[in-house]
Amino acid sequence: AEAVMRAKYLKTDVAPMLAEEGLFSAETLKEKIFADDYSPFPVPLARALHAADELFVSGKADGKTIGSLFRRALYEEREKLAAKDALLSSVASAKADAANIAAAFRSRDFAETQKQFVPGGTLKEEELKILCEETPEVIRDKFRFSKRKEPVYAAAEDFSKSRPLIDFERMADGWALKYLKAEKYNDEGIRPFLSYFYYKIADAANVRIAMSCLLNGVAGAEIKERMREAYER
């Protein structure tokens, strides 16, 4: 939908920007979005499309703002769907918190982080403000009893060493698997599918990381440090 919206106003070919199709075919998205008909879409997506229209028409659209609109819509829809299952809700919440922690440490600007904020997590506004403005030492102290302590500490460590959020990203990508591993022997309902799904995502991420690192001459030890959480028998 984001790709089609960009193509609509920038007069570009949408085909190279399209990902795999989801609930709606690319053709349906293009037909409806170009016709300004957002009624078939979920409320969060329709809201993002209307907001994007306004930004493009007013000349205020930029890549980051448009991207944030659709990102928020994704997390909002994910939160709503995940609410039907406690485990899935925990996974979705962790992912939302990870996205907001990353935004806070990358921007170090509370106003900017608020613009990039995604729904569905547990972090409160005052906690985000701390992540944006305080030193790593103060951040560690404030989050020492938080259930998000581990990822916050990882991000604070990366930040304190003036390096990209490599350790944090590795932890965040494997966060969902921690919840699934806790229910390793529970085969009720959608548990087996969730485990398969997230382990496949981890496998794909590790292949992508390994190939990218090898192509760029990264040493084997460094590649291992970047590997995401993997399947355990």
Side-chain angles (χ1 to χ4, degrees):
E2 180 183 350
V4 174
M5 178 58 75
R6 290 176 186 273
K8 174 181 173 181
Y9 284 98
L10 302 178
K11 311 300 182 186
T12 56
D13 179 14
V14 71
M17 297 187 284
L18 292 175
E20 292 296 321
E21 295 184 343
L23 295 176
F24 301 93
S25 70
E27 200 53 46
T28 298
L29 286 168
K30 185 175 180 180
E31 175 190 340
K32 296 298 182 181
I33 292 173
F34 271 63
D36 299 333
D37 177 11
Y38 308 143
S39 58
F41 305 131
V43 172
L45 177 56
R47 190 185 301 122
L49 289 164
H50 280 296
D53 268 333
E54 292 178 6
L55 287 170
F56 274 111
V57 170
S58 65
K60 298 178 181 178
D62 60 67
K64 181 184 289 186
T65 306
I66 296 299
S68 293
L69 282 176
F70 288 94
R71 195 155 163 265
R72 279 197 298 275
L74 170 64
Y75 278 88
E76 187 177 344
E77 183 71 7
R78 182 183 287 165
E79 178 188 20
K80 182 181 73 174
L81 296 173
K84 301 173 185 177
D85 181 87
L87 177 61
L88 193 54
S89 182
S90 295
V91 171
S93 175
K95 285 186 168 293
D97 280 338
N100 290 326
I101 291 169
F105 274 96
R106 287 197 171 107
S107 69
R108 294 293 286 174
D109 182 292
F110 184 51
E112 181 60 33
T113 300
Q114 287 179 305
K115 293 177 184 177
Q116 298 178 40
F117 181 82
V118 297
T122 64
L123 292 175
K124 299 175 182 177
E125 190 172 271
E126 57 265 31
E127 292 177 314
L128 278 178
K129 191 173 180 65
I130 290 170
L131 295 177
C132 290
E133 300 177 353
E134 297 294 349
T135 65
E137 292 73 21
V138 171
I139 289 171
R140 292 189 189 98
D141 181 62
K142 295 289 186 181
F143 282 84
R144 66 188 185 281
F145 300 119
S146 169
K147 72 175 185 177
R148 299 311 189 210
K149 172 184 174 179
E150 195 176 353
V152 167
Y153 273 40
E157 182 68 12
D158 282 336
F159 178 78
S160 67
K161 294 182 178 178
S162 301
R163 65 190 182 198
L165 301 179
I166 294 174
D167 286 346
F168 167 78
E169 287 175 349
R170 183 177 65 249
M171 178 181 295
D173 283 351
W175 218 353
L177 296 183
K178 287 186 64 177
Y179 291 94
L180 296 169
K181 285 180 178 180
E183 299 198 20
K184 186 175 182 179
Y185 300 107
N186 184 348
D187 60 358
E188 295 179 4
I190 63 172
R191 298 299 188 276
F193 171 75
L194 281 180
S195 296
Y196 173 81
F197 176 74
Y198 279 108
Y199 278 123
K200 278 296 182 184
I201 288 179
D203 286 344
N206 281 332
V207 170
R208 184 174 64 251
I209 290 166
M211 293 302 296
S212 176
C213 287
L214 288 170
L215 289 171
N216 287 283
V218 178
E222 290 183 50
I223 295 176
K224 287 182 180 179
E225 290 178 357
R226 301 185 186 194
M227 290 289 104
R228 274 31 178 176
E229 194 88 13
Y231 176 74
E232 291 181 359
R233 293 186 181 277

